[in-house]
Amino acid sequence: MASYNPYQQNAYQQIPPQQSQYSHNGPPSQYAGTPQSGYGPPQQDQGYFPQQGQAGLNNDGSMAGLTGQMGGMGLGGDAAAPYRPNKKKNRHAYHNLDQPTAPPQAFGTPPPGQYSHINADTSQQYGSDHPYAGQQVTHAMNQFPAPASAPFSPGLQAPTQGFRQPSQPSPAAGGPGVSQGKVDPEQIPSIPRLRDSASQYYLDHVYPTMEQHLPPPAAVPFVAHDQGNSSPKFARLTLNNIPSTQEALTTTALPLGIVLQPLAQLQEGEQAVPVLDFGDVGPPRCRRCRTYINPFMTFRSGGNKLVCNMCTFPNDVPPEYFAPTDPSGVRVDRAQRPELTTGTVEFMVPKEYWAKEPVGLHWLFLIDVGQEAINRGFLQAFCESVLLALYGDHQHENEADSEQSNGDIPEVPRRIPLGSKVGFVTFDRSMYFFNCNAKLDQAQMLVMPDLDEPFVPLGSEGLFVDPYESKSIIIGLLQRLPSLFSRIKAPEPALLPALKATQEALALTGGKIICSLSALPTSGPGRLFLRDKNDLHGIETERKLFQTEHAEWRTMASKMVASGIGVDFFLAAASGGYMDIATIGHVSAVSGGEIFFYPVFTAPRDVQRLTKEVERTVTRETGYQALMKVRCSNGLQVSSYHGNFLQHNFGADLELGSVDADKALGVMFSYDGRLDSKLDAHFQCALLYTTTSGERRVRCTNTVASVSESMTEVMRFLDQDAIVSMIAKEAATRMTERTLKDIRNALTEKTIDILAGHRKTGSGSHPPGQLVLPENLKEFSMYTLGLLKCRAFKAGHEPSDRRTHTMRFLKSASPLELSLFLYPRIVALHTLPDNSCFADPETGHLIVPPCLRASFGRIEEGGAYLVDDGQICLLWLHEHVSPNLLEDLFGAGNNSLADLNHNLSSLPVLETHLNAQARNLIAYWSSVRGSKALTLQLARQGLDGAEYEFARLLVEDRNNEAQSYVDWLVHLHRGIQLELSGQRKKEEGEGVGAGLEGAMAGLSNLIGR
């Protein structure tokens, strides 16, 4: 996934538009059929499929009873705030954006040292009515010298071109959005429309992190130009314009927090994070608050004093770091100092930052060889996946190939850095350690039957080896493992003793454990048993199923973190059986790892997905032995953390055994004083970790926001994705403390509080009976509805394994993954235009078709749809889909649904136009997602169980024990009206943190008061 570049013109198969060899004569649609029954009456008698944008809700009056409750509902935005001259005093650091630069180019790196208004002129490309034209572009946070007078205040700057208009009125009550008691579905806020507009805009524009301060939607690929403020890929603030007091924030009910993804993967065209080495003295830091040097610190007294942007303490500049300043107070070497011009940097750190001698990352593969793993083909698939992850397509090359090159072993491209090593341990009722030393003819196996006091029978030289020096040994071992244990087939694996032994093996170096498991570990110390019983569902004690009560497993998790070890699990449930993810997954959650869960693993259907996810785990950017500290400006303080980590006590650094490019966490802030609106608020995340190549570094992510006393200005610069992420992470954290009903009520009340807070503070000019949504939170209500419908929080029966897995996913999910998870992307394959899903001949960018709304009303009879929520990708086929379409997609002879292979996981490579379009689209989607691999799963109407999953993903409809989107808006509108009239009574159990109010005064709860 990481190596795929969807923006190269040659990245997609080029097939000129042509008539399908299987299409009928006459009708212009090559996939025309003759639908006879299905979801509704045919759109046209001939079977032509119109563009999906034409589809809507039926006009048969079926919505009348529902929408009648809406009254005069309209969907409005804020009126534009008046411009006020800014007379505030300048106090902050310096950025030069006045140098000339080349015209903006979508995916090219800007020339070094040239920082200018990248998006200065887009008026000819986008009109003023375009949703991504006219975004506020500022001189950001008064760091700029032209003019060097006013601090950053987005609402006070003259509007220029950008990605979203902060204040664009929407239809008022009685306008086109409402007509005689019916709701026009096109006027309801649409997530697909938002994503498509932003995607199109950022194909031709770079996001400058200081000039624009409203980040792109999380699910949209974009290139960020780091101008001193970190890219939104690394850090997203919920509020980019912060209220000056706690009381003002409380009136909005909005969370004040930041979502951090410190090792986020950059896109091609973005500048790599600079790595700086200050030698044994280390990077300059504030002596009072220990903030690292960053672009917002200022120099005074001719360069002899360094003023901290967090605590305003004037530090003496070390002699080795001194440089004079020019008459304006700017260091003369500023342009040559990345730490003074770049928001995200890495510092090499001296030995005083070492917990142990840093070495290359040690990977230990802990492989289940029990009966279920063998019978279900999981062992065979996992071994093949490890081989592909380590060697790719070069695993079959051997030393015999070197005879033509003077006996030298042909060089294989390294997929893990030089210095990294791998080791292999298998387990069932016993443990088996393998010596893969390159000097041996084949791997040697040592058996460890003692489960009560296991130890490592091998030295580090034998257990951990360079995977390329011992390539032939490792390949031979992994190819023989399935047959080696096929005659043993122990039914009950002993997992905890195996984890203890592997922790001991990595105790001196730290590292990463990749563990496969296919059955509940019911043998040996730490044995588990079936806890998920139906009589526990839907009652208060259900929350006990979402956490481990096993002391040995908790101790094991703490030991992993203390040793600097992260654990990733690949769990294949036997026939959908119980795995106790709450207990097993506790080790991965605390250590900063991840769980890849296959509820009903089926070979060969899930093999490709397993292979890609193991490869992603091994090849993505990973660090270990990590510590994290978040600092903020005077007047603010960290109130809580939400994610997967270990924190011994509040205020201590976060400890992570490992951290990788796909992990994110949330940090909530509270006030410990009043913020000065003349100054800015600053945030710095410092992640101290060891790289896979064995270097000890600290990655600093610096973010800045303005401070305002105007609630109108605060509401104009909200980051919707960050707000949703913070609410989701906090709700997931509360699952072990509160009942699911309480959490659902809390999410509902929180949504009403936020929307009602907007009416109270910033939209008084609208009629009381009108539903007014903040411009940058228009889609917020749909995201919260998706959150209520996800498996973690939904009402009704749901296996505890699925709930727990989703809960831990929410806590560590990036904004990109969460956005897709809460609202999937859907494309109709049967109506793709001829040029869609091919590279544009002029720009080389893929022409991506618009996505559909996730509603049953948009599904056409005879249609074929790709649905992707970032976790799974379904290909849904209507029972009356055209045989021509099936043959174009799957090849000759596949002209009915029954002819298709139900274990299909990818499309065959054919020369047909539609096949190339679908494969190009899947390849593009694969590049815009998180850690989960994109493989196809067929959902044939009336044939496959995955059809129920397809129905679950139509989140705008009434399903998952929750309301439809329109019903939800009606409910929210009623709650807002009651709140404005003072008659609202919050639902019982709404206080997600109510029981902790005394002990956690001042902390943010899900319910804003």
Side-chain angles (χ1 to χ4, degrees), residues 302 489 511 515 521 583 597 619 648 651 703-704 714 885 891 900 965 988:
K489 293 187 176 180
C515 178
T583 298
F597 185 40
T619 57
H648 290 289
T703 311
V704 66
V714 171
L885 183 146
L900 303 180
Y965 188 15
E988 292 294 328

Side-chain angles (χ1 to χ4, degrees), residues 522-587:
T522 55
S523 180
R527 64 178 62 89
L528 304 178
F529 57 92
L530 178 63
R531 294 196 296 153
D532 189 359
K533 300 178 181 178
N534 290 331
D535 57 352
L536 294 178
H537 289 264
I539 61 177
E540 186 173 353
T541 55
E542 182 181 9
R543 64 175 180 264
K544 293 182 179 179
L545 299 175
F546 309 144
Q547 57 187 321
T548 179
E549 297 180 346
H550 207 299
E552 289 184 87
W553 285 85
R554 291 183 179 274
T555 301
M556 186 73 261
S558 298
K559 286 184 177 179
M560 289 288 186
V561 178
S563 301
I565 304 169
V567 186
D568 286 351
F569 285 105
F570 289 81
L571 304 182
S575 303
Y578 179 66
M579 295 289 287
D580 199 354
I581 290 180
T583 298
I584 297 173
H586 179 75
V587 177

Side-chain angles (χ1 to χ4, degrees), residues 99-182:
Q99 302 177 32
T101 187
Q105 185 171 337
F107 293 95
T109 304
Q114 295 187 8
Y115 299 96
S116 69
H117 296 279
I118 297 178
N119 292 359
D121 185 11
T122 59
S123 58
Q124 295 183 5
Q125 297 173 339
Y126 290 90
S128 59
D129 58 341
H130 192 276
Y132 291 90
Q135 182 200 341
Q136 207 73 10
V137 180
T138 73
H139 284 294
M141 285 74 70
N142 74 343
Q143 311 305 317
F144 308 101
S149 58
F152 172 68
S153 183
L156 305 182
Q157 306 296 328
T160 55
Q161 303 300 326
F163 93 94
R164 186 164 180 167
Q165 178 70 33
S167 296
Q168 182 176 351
S170 294
V178 182
S179 176
Q180 298 187 8
K182 290 187 173 65

Side-chain angles (χ1 to χ4, degrees), residues 264-436:
Q265 181 175 313
L266 295 175
Q267 194 164 297
E268 184 169 340
E270 293 182 306
Q271 183 179 2
V273 175
V275 180
L276 310 176
D277 189 354
F278 285 86
D280 293 336
V281 297
R285 302 180 67 178
C286 175
R287 289 193 293 113
R288 175 189 287 175
C289 67
R290 306 301 293 162
T291 297
Y292 288 88
I293 184 72
N294 63 76
F296 305 104
M297 288 186 173
T298 56
F299 291 86
R300 293 181 180 173
S301 302
N304 289 290
K305 292 290 184 179
L306 176 64
V307 181
C308 177
N309 60 309
M310 297 289 180
C311 66
T312 68
F313 181 75
N315 298 269
D316 292 330
V317 175
E320 63 275 7
Y321 192 66
F322 174 80
T325 58
D326 62 19
S328 62
V330 179
R331 280 177 64 116
V332 295
D333 65 344
R334 182 181 183 85
Q336 289 75 45
R337 291 284 187 180
E339 72 274 16
L340 301 180
T341 58
T342 309
T344 303
V345 296
E346 284 196 340
F347 301 109
M348 302 288 290
V349 294
K351 291 185 177 181
E352 63 184 270
Y353 292 81
W354 295 2
K356 58 186 71 174
E357 184 77 21
V359 296
L361 181 59
H362 285 44
W363 299 86
L364 201 156
F365 294 92
L366 183 59
I367 305 174
D368 177 13
V369 292
Q371 179 177 334
E372 283 293 341
I374 296 172
N375 292 345
R376 304 190 68 82
F378 188 60
L379 174 59
Q380 177 76 35
F382 190 78
C383 291
E384 293 175 355
S385 300
V386 174
L387 284 175
L388 285 171
L390 292 177
Y391 306 112
D393 297 331
H394 301 274
Q395 59 175 299
H396 301 296
E397 297 178 3
N398 52 52
E399 296 184 15
D401 299 329
S402 66
E403 295 180 358
Q404 300 178 359
S405 58
N406 300 323
D408 294 330
I409 299 176
E411 184 176 352
V412 176
R414 298 189 68 97
R415 312 198 82 188
I416 61 176
L418 186 66
S420 296
K421 295 184 178 182
V422 298
F424 299 91
V425 178
T426 62
F427 69 99
D428 45 30
R429 288 182 176 177
S430 301
M431 285 169 283
Y432 310 89
F433 294 80
F434 293 90
N435 185 346
C436 296

